[in-house]
């Protein structure tokens, strides 16, 4: 009897997991992989919307060059996406 009372709650948690939690975890994994595979010369967009080309990389930071030659240093985690060329 007690199991039948908990069944709707358990079912809601399972649905919540497959609709929200699991896709978010997969997306975060893809972003981490993309950030770890960055290379000099890649065109990227930061989480703030800055577009540029990677000029230099190290363990935790990325130097991005803008179109006018300006170079800005960002945390590697600030890279939102790599732009297809």
């Amino acid at each position: 009897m007690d199991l039948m009372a908990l069944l709707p709650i358990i079912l809601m948690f399972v649905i919540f997991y497959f609709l929200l939690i699991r896709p978010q975890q997969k997306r975060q994994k893809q972003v981490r992989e993309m950030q770890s595979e960055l290379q000099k010369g890649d065109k990227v967009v930061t989480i703030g919307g800055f577009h540029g080309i990677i000029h230099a990389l190290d363990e935790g930071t990325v130097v991005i060059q803008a179109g006018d030659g300006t170079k800005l240093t960002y945390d590697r985690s600030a890279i939102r996406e790599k732009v297809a060329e």
Side-chain angles (χ1 to χ4, degrees), residues 36-78:
S36 68
E37 295 171 356
L38 291 172
Q39 297 177 359
K40 184 176 179 178
D42 288 345
K43 293 181 181 180
V44 295
V45 179
T46 67
I47 56 176
F50 179 75
H51 293 248
I53 299 172
I54 295 179
H55 179 72
L57 295 154
D58 71 11
E59 190 73 24
T61 60
V62 177
V63 178
I64 301 175
Q65 184 172 354
D68 65 354
T70 306
K71 295 175 185 150
L72 300 170
T73 303
Y74 284 89
D75 285 339
R76 195 179 276 254
S77 62

Side-chain angles (χ1 to χ4, degrees), residues 14-25:
V14 169
I15 291 171
F16 183 74
Y17 175 78
F18 281 105
L19 290 179
L20 298 175
I21 297 172
R22 190 164 180 248
Q24 181 65 24
Q25 288 175 339

